[in-house]
Amino acid sequence: MRIPLAAPDITEQDIAAVAVALRSSRLSRGPRLEEFERALAGYVGAAHAVAVSSGTSALHLCMRALGMGEGDEVIVPSFAFIAVANAVRYERAIPVFVDVDPLTLNLDPGLIEAAITSRTRAILVVHTFGCPAELSEIIRIARRHRLLVIEDACEAIGAEYDGRKVGSQGDAGVFAFYPNKQITTGEGGAIVTGDPQLAALARKLRNQGRNDSEDWFEHTEFGYNYRLSEINCALGVEQLKRIEPILERRAAIAAEYQRRLGNHPALKLPPFALPRCRLSWFVYVVRLSAQFSQSQRDWIVKEMIARGIGCGRYFAPIHLQPIYKHASFQRMALPVTEWNAARSLALPFFNRIREEQVEEVCRTLEELLCRAGGPTPGG
Ligand SMILES: Cc1ncc(COP(=O)(O)O)c(C=O)c1O
């Protein structure tokens, strides 16, 4: 792709740090893991961080360590990455989909209580595209019904709600470090929590259920290999040192898109600023206006890609995925999810995108919107 949808930002310093890790004799469970966990916990403002192999394994360990089991219900958005619901199902619990707010595309707090039953155990709240969800209201509902709150901050590292980083306000928070994220470890994820017992259990479970003891062949839990290598952690430590300039750069790119597309009558742009929130830009997703059909959106995506411009439909709702469509999980209608998913379009968004590339993306999008029959600026 001439202008990719996403790209990692790897510096010479990152490469040098990874090389140092490789030259050491310690490639797993070493000092870089501890350093990465300490730095992440400090940045997020949580007492504990447990680094694992992916955001998905972090979500799964949360479900396991928090005791979700067969028949338990967990409230989740369907407008999200599939791992959100899969992690619930790994433990034979049931994801209960709730619709999202049309502005932020996050769980709509006003709809949550109608989905709560005697089996509900937790709310898994996703900070979609780096935009914080309504945490105070969601946590209030959870406390009223004695539910756990798990924050999926995989797309939102550095975002803040009421002056505190997301991920640190629920019972547990989860991050992901795939190469399209704000910072990357190659593959990787983490759980953060204020609960020392939860952190200790997650550490045990990520390492085949072993205790901290040096006995490699004693397993006291039914665990997994969800470890993150020293190589990944070395990259994570370096990337995390640069997180603030990275977030500023990404906010500047979002502002540039906003400036160029802001007056287009065929587009609804993502919220740029919200009260009580600091956004952390993960992707830049526009929505086409009502007169466009899903197939017109898909045609635009195809045309953009044919011209070498990375473009994606973020997100395809989970409840409409082939492996979920026929399951009996859906309890309530999800019109906002379906409407927005049919019209969303993610544009190229990465730290090193150049201004002339943003200009080309916007020019091409405007041309295709016009060819698809939409209104033109000033027209
Ligand atoms: C909201 C959300 N949750 C979980 C994940 C899973 O993370 P990973 O791909 O590292 O397994 C992602 C990945 O993009 C995500 O966006």
Side-chain angles (χ1 to χ4, degrees):
M1 215 45 67
R2 244 175 353 92
I3 310 178
L5 183 58
D9 181 0
I10 303 296
T11 63
E12 287 305 316
Q13 237 165 321
D14 294 340
I15 294 167
V18 169
V20 170
L22 282 168
R23 288 196 184 95
S24 77
S25 57
R26 199 78 199 249
L27 297 188
S28 187
R29 300 190 311 122
R32 287 161 192 90
L33 169 65
E34 285 173 22
E35 191 181 349
F36 183 48
E37 290 182 340
R38 232 183 356 259
L40 183 65
Y43 178 69
V44 169
H48 309 275
V50 182
V52 292
S53 54
S54 69
T56 305
S57 49
L59 278 174
H60 181 204
L61 284 194
C62 272
M63 291 299 139
R64 213 8 238 296
L66 289 169
M68 296 308 138
E70 180 138 22
D72 288 339
E73 295 180 358
V74 180
I75 287 171
V76 298
S78 173
F79 190 89
F81 188 62
I82 190 131
V84 167
N86 283 354
V88 176
R89 293 185 71 195
Y90 294 159
E91 292 303 312
R92 297 172 182 273
I94 300 168
V96 173
F97 298 117
V98 167
D99 213 356
V100 293
D101 174 86
L103 174 67
T104 65
L105 300 175
N106 287 319
L107 273 182
D108 183 340
L111 300 175
I112 289 177
E113 282 191 299
I116 294 173
T117 71
S118 59
R119 306 301 310 257
T120 310
R121 296 273 324 277
I123 303 172
L124 204 175
V125 53
V126 181
H127 303 293
T128 306
F129 304 151
C131 176
E134 275 296 340
L135 273 180
S136 60
E137 184 55 23
I138 290 171
I139 290 173
R140 216 178 358 256
I141 293 168
R143 298 299 170 243
R144 196 155 54 230
H145 295 270
R146 296 175 193 275
L147 307 177
L148 295 162
V149 173
I150 299 136
E151 287 181 73
D152 182 336
C154 286
E155 301 173 7
I157 188 163
E160 293 174 13
Y161 184 86
D162 270 350
R164 286 173 62 199
K165 296 271 188 312
V166 300
S168 66
Q169 302 188 36
D171 297 283
V174 168
F175 293 94
F177 306 112
Y178 187 71
N180 66 345
K181 298 294 187 298
Q182 290 88 331
I183 61 166
T184 186
T185 55
E187 293 279 1
I191 299 163
V192 297
T193 181
D195 178 348
Q197 281 170 337
L198 177 63
L201 182 52
R203 284 205 162 84
K204 214 188 242 196
L205 291 171
R206 83 172 161 191
N207 189 26
Q208 304 285 15
R210 292 182 177 100
N211 283 324
D212 274 344
S213 80
E214 283 306 299
D215 187 347
W216 191 248
F217 291 114
E218 187 184 63
H219 308 272
T220 54
E221 291 283 346
F222 180 57
Y224 310 89
N225 178 357
Y226 283 167
R227 295 185 300 264
L228 189 65
S229 84
E230 288 289 284
I231 304 161
N232 301 103
C233 291
L235 180 56
V237 167
E238 289 308 310
Q239 293 254 314
L240 195 53
K241 285 181 191 163
R242 293 191 285 120
I243 183 128
E244 284 305 316
I246 286 173
L247 296 184
E248 279 167 28
R249 170 72 190 135
R250 294 173 85 88
I253 301 164
E256 185 61 22
Y257 270 125
Q258 215 84 359
R259 188 178 72 75
R260 289 179 181 277
L261 298 174
N263 294 324
H264 203 294
L267 294 176
K268 180 174 174 190
L269 303 189
F272 190 70
L274 290 169
R276 307 168 77 170
C277 294
R278 177 200 188 186
L279 277 65
S280 163
W281 290 88
F282 164 49
V283 281
Y284 190 85
V285 177
V286 298
R287 284 166 266 172
L288 308 189
S289 60
Q291 72 206 85
F292 289 95
S293 65
Q294 183 163 350
S295 54
Q296 283 170 310
R297 187 277 312 269
D298 293 344
W299 175 80
I300 292 174
V301 171
K302 218 170 77 210
E303 283 293 311
M304 297 277 276
I305 290 171
R307 295 176 191 204
I309 298 174
C311 200
R313 51 184 193 128
Y314 268 67
F315 275 109
I318 299 174
H319 73 284
L320 298 180
Q321 292 294 325
I323 56 155
Y324 277 85
K325 220 162 36 187
H326 303 296
S328 54
F329 299 130
Q330 198 186 332
R331 303 261 179 82
M332 54 168 77
L334 302 166
V336 181
T337 294
E338 291 180 10
W339 198 93
N340 284 280
R343 286 168 188 82
S344 68
L345 192 69
L347 301 177
F349 195 76
F350 50 94
N351 297 355
R352 297 188 191 196
I353 193 167
R354 298 191 307 275
E355 198 174 327
E356 66 269 23
Q357 292 178 311
V358 173
E359 198 263 325
E360 181 185 337
V361 172
C362 295
R363 197 172 5 94
T364 309
L365 177 60
E366 282 168 4
E367 179 205 320
L368 294 173
L369 285 167
C370 182
R371 279 180 57 196
T376 51

